Amino acid sequence: MPTVRVTRRAHFCSAHRLFHDEWSDEKNREVFGDCSNPHWHGHNYVLDVTVEGPVDPETGFVMDLKAVKGAIDERVVRDVDHRNLNLEVAWMRGIRPSTENFAVAVWDRIAPVLPEGVRLQRVFLRETPNNSVEYLGPEGGDR
Amino acid sequence: MPTVRVTRRAHFCSAHRLFHDEWSDEKNREVFGDCSNPHWHGHNYVLDVTVEGPVDPETGFVMDLKAVKGAIDERVVRDVDHRNLNLEVAWMRGIRPSTENFAVAVWDRIAPVLPEGVRLQRVFLRETPNNSVEYLGPEGGDR
Amino acid sequence: MPTVRVTRRAHFCSAHRLFHDEWSDEKNREVFGDCSNPHWHGHNYVLDVTVEGPVDPETGFVMDLKAVKGAIDERVVRDVDHRNLNLEVAWMRGIRPSTENFAVAVWDRIAPVLPEGVRLQRVFLRETPNNSVEYLGPEGGDR
Amino acid sequence: MPTVRVTRRAHFCSAHRLFHDEWSDEKNREVFGDCSNPHWHGHNYVLDVTVEGPVDPETGFVMDLKAVKGAIDERVVRDVDHRNLNLEVAWMRGIRPSTENFAVAVWDRIAPVLPEGVRLQRVFLRETPNNSVEYLGPEGGDR
Amino acid sequence: MPTVRVTRRAHFCSAHRLFHDEWSDEKNREVFGDCSNPHWHGHNYVLDVTVEGPVDPETGFVMDLKAVKGAIDERVVRDVDHRNLNLEVAWMRGIRPSTENFAVAVWDRIAPVLPEGVRLQRVFLRETPNNSVEYLGPEGGDR
Amino acid sequence: MPTVRVTRRAHFCSAHRLFHDEWSDEKNREVFGDCSNPHWHGHNYVLDVTVEGPVDPETGFVMDLKAVKGAIDERVVRDVDHRNLNLEVAWMRGIRPSTENFAVAVWDRIAPVLPEGVRLQRVFLRETPNNSVEYLGPEGGDR
C-alpha cells in the first residue's frame, strides 16, 4: 500500500501578546516590539494538519478527512477560536504564545488522538500573510 | 482624460471585541456571540482603498500610489496595527468596532487628505476570509 | 446612518453539464464543448452574497453575518453542495446550469428571506479560477 | 432576460519602465522612483475583463467565455506577454505604461470586438499584490 | 551542480463519486457521506508536480518547465479535465477516485516520461480549499 | 527544545531574460522561447525563506522574524527589486537568471548571515502563479 500524506486546513481568530513576565516593559518592547502591546492584538490563523499513512484499500483513504477535521475542531479550534491565547487556553498555560510554541502545542493536542497506523507528519501555522511556522514533531527536526 | 480607479491594499493585525455597554452579558453574548468575549480576539485585516479621478497626462497617474500608501499608513495603519480597536484608537472612541463602523471610520480618515481632483471611491475591509465590508461614502449608498 | 455593503463568502462542490435537449449531440458539443460531456464534470464554486443597508446604531451591523450565512446555507448550499445541478436541485429544474443562470437563481433564493431594510446588492459566483459571474438583480443591470 | 456580468481572468508577464522623455533623470527619479529604472523591471499582471449583457435563453450565456478568452488572447496577451510594454507593443506606442494608461488601452483593444448586445463593463488590472487599477470606460467614470 | 526542485501547477475540473460496489447504499453513505452521491459531484482540482535534479549549466534548468507542462497536459489533464473520474479515465479504472488514489495514479502517469537524471519528487493534489494530498512516491513514504 | 521551521515571505519585481551568449539567436529562441526576448520581460517574484532551529525558551522564537526580514531585505530585495537581474545585480553576474539559479544565489546570500544555531532550510521562489522552484541547500538534495 502506498504511503500518502493528507492535509486538512482550518481557520480561526485569536488575540494574544508576546511578553516575558520577568522582564521590564522596556526589555519586552525591545525584544517583542509591537507584539508585546499590553492591550493585545490578534490574528486570523491558518492551520494545516498533515497526517501520513498507508492508503486503506477498502476506502481509498489514509484517514477519513472528516475525522481529521473533527480532531482539529475538538482539540484545537474550539479552544482557541475567538479566544485569548494567553488567558483562556488551558493547554497554552505557561507557554509564551509565539507561533513556534503554538505549533508545538497543537502537535501535542492532535498526535495522541490519531488512529493507529496514521502518524502526524506536520503542523503548519500561518500567523500573517508573510509569517508562518511548521513543526515536524519531536523526531522530525532533522529532515 | 479618462477617469480611472486605483486601489492600494494594506494589511494590519488588531484585537477587538463587540459589545454594548448598556446591555447585560447575556444580551451581548446573544447578539454578538463569541465576538463579545471580554478577553478579546483579533484579526488580520485586509484594507483596500480605492481612489478615482482623471489620469494626469504628464505622469499617467490618477494619484501617485506611494501617496495613497502614505495616507493609509499615516492615517490608519500606524494607529491600528498591533493595537486594540476598542481601547487604543482615538478616532474609534465611542464607536463599536464592527467591520461596518470601522470601514466608515477609515473613510473619514482618508477622504480629507486626498489631493484636489481625486475622490475616495471605496473602502473595502476584509475581517476574515469569508467576511468583508465595503463603504462607498456618504453619497455612495444608492449605487 | 451610513449605508454599507456586507459580503459573506461560501464554498460548495457540485456536478453539472451544459446541454440543450432539443439540440443534436454535435450541436451541443459545438456550442458547449467539453462542458456538454454526458458523464458530467464539476466545480468548487465560490459564492459571495452582498447585502446593503444602513448600519444599525445599536449593533454596528447592517445585518448579522451569521444570519447571512444561515440564509446562504439553508437556501443554497444545503441544496447544491455535493449535488448534481441538473438532476437534484428543485429550484434549478428547467434551468440550464450556466454560471449566469445559476447566479440569477441564487439571487431569487436569497432576496426573499432578507430582513426589511436590507437589500440584496450582488451575487457573485466563481466557477473556476478564471471564470466568474455577477448579478446585481432585476434592477441592477444598468449600474 | 436578466442582465448579468461575466468576467474572464488572464495572466501575463511584461517588462516596462515609467519615465517622461522631456524630463531630466533627476525629475524622472523624483516622480517615478524605482519605476523609472532605465534597465527596466517587470510584473506578473492579472487582467480581469468583465462584459455585461442579457442572458441568451438558448445557451444560458451572456457571451461564450471561450470567445472572451479568445479576444483577450488575440487582442492583448499575444502582444504583451513576455514583451516590453515601452518598446514592443504597437498599441502602447506613445503611451506611458502606467497601470492606468495600460488599462485604458486594454479597454480600447477589447471593446470594438465584442458581439452586438454585449458591452464591456470593466477592465481590471493588478500590477502587484497591493496595486491595481480598474477602468469602467469613457462613460463609466461617474458610477 | 546543485540539486533543485521545480514545480509546475495545473488546474482541471472533474466529476467523481466515492463508493464501494460491494457495499450497501447505507454503508457507502455511512463511510463516504455526501461523496457517495450516485448523481456525482465535482471539483476544481489543483495539481502541483515537482521534479528534482541537478541544474544544467548550459540552460540553468533542472528540466524545461514547458516539458513538465507538456507531460502534465498529455498524460493527465487531457484525460481528466471535464471528465468523470469513475467512468471515463482509462488509467483510473478499478481505482476508487479518492484524492489519495488519484495522486498515486498521477505519479504513475508522470514518473515514466521524465528525462534521465530528473526524478519525480512530489505530486500534490488539492481537491477543495481545505483538503489536499501529497505523494512522494514508492520510496518517499518515510521522509 | 523542539526544532521548528520559520518562514518569512517577501515580494519583489524584476526584469530578466534567459539566453546563452555563445548560442545563436535561433538556438536561444528554440531553448528559451519568449523568455529569451532581447527587450526583456519581468515578474512579481514571491520569495519564502525558511530557517530551522531550536526554540529559544526565553523568547519562544527560533529566530526573530524581524531579523529574517532584515536579512532578506538587505541581502536580496534591496538589490533585485525594480532591477534587471541580468544587468544590475552584482551577485548574479555570470549566472543565467533562471529561477533555479536565482534560488541557489539567494541561498548563498542568506545562509552566511544567519545567527549560530539557526540553519537555512529552504529557499522557495515563485516566478509565476504556475512556476516555482525550491532549493534545500548543498546538502539538501537527497531529502
Side-chain angles (χ1 to χ4, degrees):
Chain A
M1 282 301 96
T3 294
V4 174
R5 292 178 186 167
V6 175
T7 297
R8 175 75 192 179
R9 174 164 288 190
H11 298 263
F12 55 87
C13 307
S14 313
H16 79 148
R17 67 175 291 215
L18 299 180
F19 75 108
H20 195 308
D21 53 14
E22 295 171 13
W23 291 353
S24 66
D25 286 358
E26 289 70 33
K27 177 138 194 215
N28 270 301
R29 173 147 289 273
E30 187 193 314
V31 174
F32 296 119
D34 281 345
C35 295
S36 69
N37 177 6
H39 294 298
W40 318 98
H41 66 284
H43 300 290
N44 301 343
Y45 288 90
V46 178
L47 169 64
D48 283 349
V49 170
T50 302
V51 299
E52 184 177 68
V55 178
D56 180 325
E58 293 293 295
T59 59
F61 291 161
V62 166
M63 178 182 164
D64 188 350
L65 269 167
K66 284 194 294 295
V68 183
K69 179 185 189 308
I72 297 173
D73 284 351
E74 279 169 49
R75 301 280 296 174
V76 179
V77 174
R78 199 173 59 177
D79 292 341
V80 298
D81 190 29
H82 285 74
R83 291 287 175 278
N84 186 307
L85 300 180
N86 299 68
L87 303 178
E88 298 185 284
V89 183
W91 43 272
M92 289 291 286
R93 200 150 296 157
I95 299 174
R96 228 176 307 288
S98 67
T99 326
E100 288 92 327
N101 284 340
F102 193 12
V104 173
V106 168
W107 178 284
D108 292 341
R109 292 290 294 169
I110 300 284
V113 301
L114 294 180
E116 228 185 82
V118 176
R119 74 174 199 87
L120 188 54
Q121 191 267 329
R122 191 177 85 126
V123 167
F124 169 89
L125 204 45
R126 193 166 71 204
E127 197 183 69
T128 72
N130 291 335
N131 295 347
S132 61
V133 148
E134 64 183 325
Y135 180 53
L136 305 184
E139 284 145 43
D142 58 340
R143 290 158 189 251
Chain B
M1 282 299 99
T3 294
V4 174
R5 292 177 185 169
V6 175
T7 297
R8 175 74 193 179
R9 175 163 287 190
H11 297 263
F12 55 86
C13 306
S14 313
H16 79 149
R17 67 176 291 216
L18 299 180
F19 76 107
H20 195 308
D21 53 14
E22 295 172 11
W23 290 353
S24 67
D25 286 358
E26 289 71 33
K27 178 141 192 211
N28 269 302
R29 173 147 290 272
E30 188 192 313
V31 173
F32 296 118
D34 282 346
C35 295
S36 69
N37 178 5
H39 293 297
W40 318 98
H41 66 285
H43 300 289
N44 301 342
Y45 288 91
V46 179
L47 169 64
D48 283 350
V49 170
T50 302
V51 300
E52 185 178 68
V55 179
D56 180 325
E58 293 293 295
T59 59
F61 292 162
V62 167
M63 176 182 166
D64 187 349
L65 269 167
K66 284 194 295 294
V68 183
K69 178 184 189 307
I72 298 173
D73 284 351
E74 279 169 51
R75 301 281 296 173
V76 179
V77 174
R78 198 172 60 175
D79 292 341
V80 298
D81 190 28
H82 284 74
R83 291 287 175 279
N84 185 306
L85 300 179
N86 299 69
L87 303 179
E88 298 184 283
V89 182
W91 43 271
M92 289 290 286
R93 200 151 295 158
I95 299 173
R96 229 176 306 291
S98 67
T99 326
E100 288 91 328
N101 284 339
F102 194 11
V104 174
V106 168
W107 177 284
D108 293 340
R109 292 288 295 169
I110 299 284
V113 300
L114 294 180
E116 227 186 83
V118 176
R119 75 173 198 86
L120 187 54
Q121 191 265 331
R122 191 176 84 125
V123 166
F124 169 89
L125 203 45
R126 194 165 72 203
E127 196 184 67
T128 72
N130 291 335
N131 295 347
S132 61
V133 149
E134 65 183 324
Y135 180 53
L136 305 184
E139 283 144 44
D142 59 339
R143 288 156 191 252
Chain C
M1 283 300 98
T3 294
V4 174
R5 293 178 184 168
V6 175
T7 296
R8 175 75 192 178
R9 174 162 288 190
H11 298 263
F12 56 86
C13 306
S14 313
H16 80 146
R17 66 176 291 216
L18 298 179
F19 75 109
H20 195 306
D21 53 14
E22 295 171 12
W23 290 353
S24 67
D25 286 359
E26 288 71 33
K27 176 136 193 216
N28 269 301
R29 174 149 290 271
E30 188 192 312
V31 174
F32 295 118
D34 282 344
C35 294
S36 69
N37 179 6
H39 293 298
W40 318 99
H41 66 283
H43 299 290
N44 301 343
Y45 288 91
V46 178
L47 169 63
D48 283 349
V49 170
T50 302
V51 300
E52 184 177 70
V55 178
D56 180 324
E58 293 293 295
T59 59
F61 291 162
V62 166
M63 177 183 165
D64 187 349
L65 269 168
K66 284 193 297 295
V68 183
K69 178 185 189 309
I72 297 172
D73 283 351
E74 280 169 48
R75 303 281 296 173
V76 179
V77 173
R78 199 172 60 175
D79 293 340
V80 298
D81 189 28
H82 285 74
R83 293 286 176 278
N84 185 308
L85 301 179
N86 299 70
L87 303 178
E88 298 184 286
V89 181
W91 43 271
M92 289 290 286
R93 201 152 293 159
I95 299 173
R96 229 177 305 290
S98 67
T99 325
E100 288 92 327
N101 284 338
F102 194 11
V104 173
V106 168
W107 178 283
D108 292 341
R109 292 290 295 169
I110 300 285
V113 301
L114 294 180
E116 230 186 80
V118 176
R119 75 175 199 87
L120 188 53
Q121 191 266 329
R122 190 176 85 125
V123 167
F124 169 89
L125 203 46
R126 194 166 72 203
E127 197 184 68
T128 72
N130 291 335
N131 295 346
S132 62
V133 147
E134 65 183 323
Y135 181 54
L136 305 185
E139 284 146 42
D142 58 339
R143 287 156 191 255
Chain D
M1 281 300 97
T3 295
V4 174
R5 292 177 185 169
V6 175
T7 297
R8 175 75 191 178
R9 174 163 288 190
H11 298 263
F12 55 87
C13 306
S14 313
H16 79 148
R17 67 177 289 217
L18 299 179
F19 75 109
H20 195 307
D21 52 15
E22 296 171 11
W23 291 352
S24 65
D25 286 358
E26 288 69 33
K27 176 138 192 214
N28 270 302
R29 173 146 292 271
E30 186 192 314
V31 174
F32 296 118
D34 282 344
C35 294
S36 69
N37 179 5
H39 294 297
W40 317 99
H41 66 284
H43 300 289
N44 301 343
Y45 288 91
V46 179
L47 169 63
D48 283 349
V49 170
T50 301
V51 300
E52 183 177 69
V55 179
D56 180 324
E58 293 293 295
T59 59
F61 291 162
V62 166
M63 176 183 167
D64 188 350
L65 268 168
K66 283 194 294 295
V68 183
K69 178 186 188 309
I72 297 172
D73 284 350
E74 280 169 48
R75 302 280 296 173
V76 179
V77 174
R78 199 173 57 176
D79 293 341
V80 298
D81 190 27
H82 285 73
R83 292 287 176 280
N84 185 308
L85 300 179
N86 299 69
L87 303 179
E88 299 185 284
V89 182
W91 43 270
M92 289 291 286
R93 201 151 294 159
I95 298 173
R96 229 176 306 290
S98 68
T99 326
E100 287 92 328
N101 284 339
F102 194 12
V104 173
V106 168
W107 178 284
D108 292 341
R109 293 288 295 168
I110 299 284
V113 301
L114 294 180
E116 227 186 82
V118 176
R119 74 173 200 89
L120 187 53
Q121 191 265 329
R122 190 177 85 126
V123 167
F124 169 89
L125 204 46
R126 195 167 70 204
E127 196 183 68
T128 71
N130 290 337
N131 294 347
S132 62
V133 148
E134 65 183 325
Y135 180 55
L136 305 184
E139 284 146 41
D142 59 339
R143 287 157 192 253
Chain E
M1 282 300 98
T3 294
V4 174
R5 293 177 184 167
V6 175
T7 296
R8 175 75 192 180
R9 174 162 289 191
H11 298 264
F12 56 86
C13 306
S14 313
H16 80 148
R17 67 176 291 217
L18 299 180
F19 76 108
H20 196 307
D21 53 15
E22 295 171 11
W23 290 353
S24 66
D25 287 359
E26 288 71 31
K27 178 139 192 214
N28 269 302
R29 175 147 288 274
E30 189 192 314
V31 173
F32 296 117
D34 282 345
C35 295
S36 69
N37 178 7
H39 294 298
W40 317 98
H41 65 284
H43 299 291
N44 301 343
Y45 288 92
V46 179
L47 169 64
D48 283 349
V49 170
T50 302
V51 299
E52 183 178 69
V55 178
D56 180 325
E58 292 292 295
T59 59
F61 291 162
V62 167
M63 177 182 165
D64 187 350
L65 268 168
K66 284 195 294 294
V68 183
K69 179 185 189 308
I72 297 172
D73 284 351
E74 280 169 48
R75 302 280 297 173
V76 178
V77 174
R78 198 172 60 175
D79 293 341
V80 299
D81 190 27
H82 285 74
R83 292 287 175 278
N84 185 308
L85 301 179
N86 299 70
L87 303 179
E88 298 185 284
V89 182
W91 43 272
M92 289 291 285
R93 201 151 295 157
I95 297 173
R96 228 177 305 290
S98 68
T99 326
E100 287 92 329
N101 284 339
F102 194 11
V104 174
V106 168
W107 177 284
D108 292 341
R109 292 291 293 170
I110 299 285
V113 302
L114 294 180
E116 229 186 81
V118 176
R119 74 174 201 86
L120 187 54
Q121 191 266 330
R122 190 177 85 126
V123 167
F124 169 89
L125 203 45
R126 193 166 71 203
E127 196 183 70
T128 72
N130 290 335
N131 295 347
S132 60
V133 148
E134 64 183 324
Y135 180 53
L136 305 184
E139 284 146 42
D142 58 339
R143 287 155 191 255
Chain F
M1 281 300 97
T3 294
V4 174
R5 293 178 184 167
V6 175
T7 297
R8 176 73 193 179
R9 173 163 289 189
H11 299 263
F12 55 86
C13 305
S14 314
H16 80 148
R17 66 175 293 215
L18 298 180
F19 76 109
H20 195 307
D21 52 14
E22 295 171 12
W23 290 353
S24 67
D25 286 359
E26 289 70 33
K27 176 137 193 215
N28 269 303
R29 174 148 290 273
E30 187 193 313
V31 173
F32 296 118
D34 281 346
C35 295
S36 69
N37 179 5
H39 293 298
W40 317 98
H41 65 284
H43 300 289
N44 301 343
Y45 288 90
V46 179
L47 169 63
D48 282 348
V49 170
T50 302
V51 300
E52 184 177 69
V55 178
D56 180 325
E58 293 293 295
T59 59
F61 292 163
V62 166
M63 176 182 165
D64 187 350
L65 269 167
K66 283 194 296 293
V68 183
K69 179 184 188 309
I72 297 173
D73 284 351
E74 279 169 49
R75 302 279 296 172
V76 179
V77 173
R78 200 172 59 174
D79 293 340
V80 298
D81 190 28
H82 285 73
R83 292 287 176 277
N84 185 307
L85 300 180
N86 300 69
L87 303 179
E88 297 184 285
V89 182
W91 42 272
M92 290 290 287
R93 201 151 294 160
I95 298 175
R96 229 177 304 291
S98 68
T99 326
E100 288 92 328
N101 284 340
F102 193 12
V104 174
V106 168
W107 178 283
D108 292 341
R109 292 289 295 169
I110 299 285
V113 301
L114 295 181
E116 228 186 79
V118 176
R119 74 175 199 87
L120 188 53
Q121 192 266 331
R122 190 176 87 125
V123 166
F124 169 89
L125 204 45
R126 194 166 72 203
E127 196 184 69
T128 72
N130 291 335
N131 295 346
S132 60
V133 148
E134 63 183 327
Y135 180 53
L136 305 184
E139 284 145 43
D142 59 339
R143 290 159 190 249

